[in-house]
Each structure stands twice: as structure tokens, then as C-alpha cells.
Amino acid sequence: GMETATQFLLDLAMKDKLIADTLDRKNAVESYVYETRDALDMHLSEFITGEDKSTFQAALDEAEDWLYGDGENGTKSDYVNKLSELKAMGDPVELRKVEAEKRGPALAALKKVIADAAAFVASEEECYEHIAAEERQKVTDAIAVAQKWLDENEAAQNAKAKTDPPHFMASAADAQVGPVQRVWRDVSSKPKPK
């Protein structure tokens, strides 16, 4: 009756969805193989050692052979597993490239906030005359924390090769900016006593 028909249609829809998802994952493996192989010769090349590159390229070639051989009619989970296996090798390389791009601007922003806050502390401008030395000291202390982080981490990063994992994430440098900015804004915006 009606219920069996509905169930039949549901099963069919599920089957169609699984077929579509399986094909989607198969295509994902295929495009990952082609895109990554190109990337390794181009924008990722300086972020991977020769030895790792050979190993990774062999894994990509193997995955391609598998796709047109044993893996041609694989299950969805076969493709999901194959992709995560490849990404386990590729993601760290990709991360090194992305972080290398973000690092410069992040460090520049941190150096700028340190310089600007230090300029405020030293400022003899009339608009800041009323701000007491101990208030300014709060800003100096915040600067010192950020500067220490910067000195230690920038030096450690500079000692690393582009093929090494980053010593710190750009987001960690970004996180150093806020505390300095907050104390500096807080102190510098104290109103003049009437």
C-alpha cells in the first residue's frame, strides 16, 4: 500500500543521495591529486623538503592509479579515507605557506601598536598633560609584555626554515595587539579634570 510506496521512494532517495555523495567524494580526491601536484611544483615548493615532496608526489600518483584501478567503484568511505590520508601530508605544507603570508602583516601590526603606544607614553602633548606617570606606567607594562613576546617569537621564527612548522601562528601575534591597545586607549582617553 501507501506506506510501502513511500518507504520505497525514501530508500530510492537515500540511494540517490549516497550515489551523489560518493561521486562527490571521488571527484574531491581526483581534484585534490591534480591541484596539489601542480601546487607542489609552484607555490608550495619552497615550503616542503625535497624528500617529503618525493614521498608526497608518490602518494598522489598512487592515489591517481588507485582511482582508475581498484578505487574506481569505491565506497564513499573509501574516498573519504583516501582524501584524509593525502591531506594529512598536504595540510601542514599548505599551513606553512598560509602562515608565511600572514606572518609579516601580523608582526607589522604588533610593532605598530607597540610604537604608537610608546609614543603616547612619552608624549608631552597638552592634551595628555593631565595623565599621571603611574597611569602611563600601565601602558609601559603592557608594551613590555608584548615586546617580550615579539622578541622571543620573532627570533625563534627567524631561526626556522620555510619547510619547518611555524614557531607561532599569525593569530598569536594578532592576540598580542589587543591588550596593548585596550590599556593605551583606556589610559589616553581619561578626561582632563575640570
Side-chain angles (χ1 to χ4, degrees), residues 19-92:
I19 290 169
D21 286 351
T22 302
L23 191 60
D24 174 70
R25 292 297 83 204
K26 184 182 185 180
N27 290 336
V29 174
E30 192 173 33
S31 31
Y32 187 82
V33 167
Y34 293 128
E35 285 163 18
T36 307
R37 198 183 274 148
D38 285 346
L40 284 174
D41 285 331
M42 314 214 333
H43 63 273
L44 293 180
S45 64
E46 56 187 314
F47 299 101
I48 188 168
T49 63
E51 192 182 340
D52 284 350
K53 184 179 175 179
S54 305
T55 306
F56 193 16
Q57 275 169 329
L60 292 166
D61 293 344
E62 217 170 276
E64 185 182 20
D65 293 343
W66 173 80
L67 276 175
Y68 301 117
D70 295 344
E72 179 137 33
N73 300 306
T75 62
K76 179 181 168 183
S77 72
D78 287 337
Y79 300 125
V80 167
N81 292 338
K82 182 59 70 180
L83 187 59
S84 49
E85 204 178 287
L86 295 172
K87 279 168 102 25
M89 302 174 89
D91 286 354

Side-chain angles (χ1 to χ4, degrees), residues 24-179:
D24 174 70
R25 292 297 83 204
K26 184 182 185 180
N27 290 336
V29 174
E30 192 173 33
S31 31
Y32 187 82
V33 167
Y34 293 128
E35 285 163 18
T36 307
R37 198 183 274 148
D38 285 346
L40 284 174
D41 285 331
M42 314 214 333
H43 63 273
L44 293 180
S45 64
E46 56 187 314
F47 299 101
I48 188 168
T49 63
E51 192 182 340
D52 284 350
K53 184 179 175 179
S54 305
T55 306
F56 193 16
Q57 275 169 329
L60 292 166
D61 293 344
E62 217 170 276
E64 185 182 20
D65 293 343
W66 173 80
L67 276 175
Y68 301 117
D70 295 344
E72 179 137 33
N73 300 306
T75 62
K76 179 181 168 183
S77 72
D78 287 337
Y79 300 125
V80 167
N81 292 338
K82 182 59 70 180
L83 187 59
S84 49
E85 204 178 287
L86 295 172
K87 279 168 102 25
M89 302 174 89
D91 286 354
V93 186
E94 193 69 52
L95 177 78
R96 293 195 285 270
K97 178 191 182 288
V98 169
E99 284 297 318
E101 286 167 358
K102 290 182 180 173
R103 190 179 304 122
L107 290 175
L110 178 54
K111 288 171 185 174
K112 185 179 182 334
V113 80
I114 287 173
D116 290 350
F120 158 73
V121 171
S123 171
E124 291 175 5
E125 281 177 62
E126 202 179 321
C127 58
Y128 296 135
E129 271 180 347
H130 65 288
I131 294 173
E134 57 269 24
E135 286 296 312
R136 293 180 191 233
Q137 186 60 45
K138 292 177 185 170
V139 183
T140 303
D141 294 344
I143 292 170
V145 172
Q147 187 67 54
K148 180 173 189 286
W149 184 92
L150 178 64
D151 294 342
E152 288 171 4
N153 287 279
E154 193 174 24
Q157 181 60 51
N158 289 341
K160 286 184 172 287
K162 284 183 172 183
T163 51
D164 290 329
H167 178 70
F168 64 89
M169 297 294 161
S171 57
D174 295 338
Q176 294 293 321
V177 172

